[in-house]
Amino acid sequence: MGLSGPCVPTSKEATLEVIGLYHREVIVYSDGSGLNEQIGAAVVLYKDGTEQGVLGKHLGSEEQHTIFEAKVLGLSLVAKLIKTKVDFLMLTITMSGMRI
């Protein structure tokens, strides 16, 4: 396979082969928004198309909190969720329709 030592690829092709062996499609969707005058955030983690975890947090009324706070909270929830899912090399984070 073009490996030198336990797992050090010696070429671009070998690197792509190793990534192919261990890569699992991991996508995390994050949304911080308001609904019915309430503000909150939610994240969902999918691995190979299967839901693996969900986290959410209600901040409170839109009189006391902003959408920006909810979006930042969403990123914090993403970090918390992926910390529990350690068997991936790469992941995609999508926040309100944007890839990060």
Side-chain angles (χ1 to χ4, degrees), residues 33-45:
S33 60
L35 179 66
N36 298 326
E37 300 179 1
Q38 297 296 306
I39 303 292
V43 298
V44 182
L45 185 143

Side-chain angles (χ1 to χ4, degrees), residues 21-80:
L21 289 173
Y22 296 102
H23 177 265
R24 294 187 177 164
E25 183 71 22
V26 177
I27 300 174
V28 183
Y29 296 98
S30 172
D31 187 26
S33 60
L35 179 66
N36 298 326
E37 300 179 1
Q38 297 296 306
I39 303 292
V43 298
V44 182
L45 185 143
Y46 289 91
K47 187 180 345 174
D48 297 325
T50 304
E51 185 181 296
Q52 299 291 312
V54 177
L55 289 175
K57 175 103 171 128
H58 174 249
L59 286 171
S61 75
E62 61 185 25
E63 292 177 359
Q64 297 175 331
H65 299 280
T66 65
I67 301 280
F68 178 76
E69 282 180 273
K71 292 190 180 301
V72 171
L73 173 62
L75 288 175
S76 176
L77 292 174
V78 166
K80 183 175 182 177

Side-chain angles (χ1 to χ4, degrees), residues 1-4 7-11 13-15 17-19 21-22:
M1 179 193 319
L3 295 178
S4 169
C7 191
V8 179
T10 57
S11 68
E13 292 76 21
T15 301
E17 187 175 344
V18 169
I19 289 171
L21 289 173
Y22 296 102

